Amino acid sequence: MRAALGRAYDHSTMKSASNRILNPKDFPYVGEDPAVVYDLRLVARAFSQLQEDRHFADYNLTKDLETVEALTQVKSAEKIFNIWPKIRGEQIAQAYLVSLLVKRV
């Protein structure tokens, strides 16, 4: 069941949502706690980069993944997991989660 759910996510929607969060013109977050906005943007940036790295590793067979690159990616994921508990209750973080799943029209 969990594997099927994982395949149901539209990766392009998730990447677009993460990249939009990074644009202060689209999401200026006026009146929000600047520390929360900063952390949310760190999460979105890392999520987008990790997704891109995973796609490259899965489909580009011309280059092996170096140990240093893999460790950098693991550290980036750890950073997300350390930041998220601090901001997950914030409305803008919850809106980000929804945007990962709902295609923008």
Side-chain angles (χ1 to χ4, degrees):
M1 177 75 162
R2 187 175 186 169
L5 181 60
R7 286 288 173 208
Y9 296 130
D10 181 342
H11 292 180
S12 65
T13 298
M14 297 171 92
K15 182 173 183 152
S16 294
S18 293
N19 289 338
R20 276 195 316 276
I21 293 296
L22 300 175
N23 186 341
K25 290 180 183 176
D26 288 341
F27 291 93
Y29 293 118
V30 175
E32 297 288 346
D33 180 344
V36 173
V37 173
Y38 178 81
D39 284 345
L40 179 62
R41 287 190 168 135
L42 281 177
V43 168
R45 184 177 298 110
F47 182 90
S48 183
Q49 184 60 54
L50 286 168
Q51 184 185 39
E52 191 174 303
D53 292 344
R54 185 209 56 86
H55 189 268
F56 182 85
D58 283 353
Y59 299 108
N60 187 336
L61 303 177
T62 63
K63 182 178 180 262
D64 290 338
L65 183 64
E66 299 292 328
T67 303
V68 173
E69 291 173 287
L71 290 173
T72 298
Q73 293 165 358
V74 168
K75 292 216 179 276
S76 182
E78 285 177 337
K79 189 174 190 177
I80 290 174
F81 280 98
N82 288 328
I83 291 172
W84 187 253
K86 296 188 309 185
I87 65 170
R88 70 178 175 209
E90 300 291 332
Q91 186 174 350
I92 60 174
Q94 292 297 306
Y96 171 61
L97 287 180
V98 171
S99 75
L100 292 173
L101 303 175
V102 179
K103 192 170 194 161
R104 187 175 178 187
V105 287

